Amino acid sequence: MPKPQQLPDTGDDHDKVLEAKLAELIGTTPKALQRKREKGIIPHGVWCLIDGRVTYSKWRYNEWVESLWTCQKESKSSATPSASASHGSIAVAKPLPMRRPPRGSPRPQVFELR
């Protein structure tokens, strides 16, 4: 599933837009937004049902998209960033299981390129 995009600044002062307009702004379809709403991917505070029409807040949508980032904006955090990307656990790669050919079977031919 593609990641949500932050809305471009359109220069208008209208914060509330209908579902079709938001879909146009972020480059998706109204049906995709509807499915994300129904599955609970987009939280209810970002959209609201007003007079039977789904209305989105562009400001709340942008805030929600920013909250999805694992690395928050530097201005929001006063802590110094860690020098290591490790989370404390060490991953060890396991060797892949290899099937041995049965005994007495002919070995495959090996060719040398010159």
Side-chain angles (χ1 to χ4, degrees), residues 19-94:
E19 193 165 43
K21 181 65 176 175
L22 183 73
E24 178 187 325
L25 289 172
I26 63 174
T28 189
T29 63
K31 191 68 169 180
L33 281 177
Q34 177 186 353
R35 293 270 194 260
K36 288 180 182 181
R37 249 189 322 107
E38 291 169 350
K39 291 180 180 180
I41 296 171
I42 300 176
H44 182 69
V46 173
W47 62 273
C48 186
L49 193 63
I50 301 174
D51 293 333
R53 300 170 81 179
V54 179
T55 307
Y56 284 84
S57 166
K58 293 191 300 185
W59 179 80
R60 290 181 182 181
Y61 181 86
N62 282 335
E63 289 295 315
W64 171 69
V65 169
E66 282 297 320
S67 73
L68 296 178
W69 286 84
T70 57
C71 174
Q72 295 292 326
K73 290 182 179 177
E74 291 180 18
S75 61
K76 289 186 177 182
S77 175
S78 61
T80 57
S82 173
S84 171
S86 173
H87 296 288
S89 62
I90 299 174
V92 177
K94 294 181 181 179

